[in-house]
């Protein structure tokens, strides 16, 4: 019984761990530059995807170099988020 409880608690801790960024997956870049990509386009039914008011034409999952800092993405919903310096930020969450 102890083994089952410990296993269960371990699985809960693993499931709850994340990188602390609500809007996307963040990992250090290998060259110290800052990159951004979109993994989820809010279901794809929102028309043009805009980043900071400009069309984001890259395919889902592809990243491009970007300035770190505050950005605004729009695709059916408008969301403001922060990209730290020296990371690869893959946007994947449109929820509240």
């Amino acid at each position: 019984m102890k083994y089952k409880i410990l296993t269960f608690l371990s699985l809960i801790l693993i499931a709850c761990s994340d990188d602390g960024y609500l809007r996307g997956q963040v990992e250090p870049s290998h060259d110290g530059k800052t990159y951004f990509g979109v993994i989820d386009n809010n279901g794809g039914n929102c028309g043009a995807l805009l980043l900071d008011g400009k069309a984001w034409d890259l395919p889902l999952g592809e990243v491009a170099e970007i300035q770190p800092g505050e950005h605004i993405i729009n695709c059916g919903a408008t969301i403001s988020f922060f990209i730290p310096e020296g990371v690869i930020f893959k946007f994947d969450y449109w929820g509240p």
Side-chain angles (χ1 to χ4, degrees):
M1 186 65 171
K2 279 185 181 181
Y3 177 74
K4 288 182 182 181
I5 291 173
L6 287 175
T7 301
F8 179 71
L9 291 174
S10 297
L11 290 174
I12 289 174
L13 289 173
I14 290 170
C16 293
S17 66
D18 65 13
D19 58 14
Y21 293 92
L22 172 66
R23 298 289 171 199
Q25 302 168 11
V26 178
E27 62 186 64
S29 68
H30 298 289
D31 60 6
K33 295 180 182 178
T34 305
Y35 297 91
F36 175 77
V38 178
I39 295 175
D40 180 346
N41 64 354
N42 201 13
N45 298 320
C46 60
L49 192 146
L50 303 175
L51 180 68
D52 299 329
K54 298 177 184 171
W56 181 260
D57 295 326
L58 292 178
L60 292 179
E62 192 171 320
V63 298
E65 192 172 346
I66 194 169
Q67 290 295 318
E70 193 76 24
H71 293 276
I72 297 173
I73 193 166
N74 184 294
C75 186
T78 300
I79 297 173
S80 176
F81 62 100
F82 183 82
I83 301 176
E85 187 173 356
V87 301
I88 301 169
F89 189 108
K90 296 179 181 177
F91 189 93
D92 67 0
Y93 182 66
W94 292 90

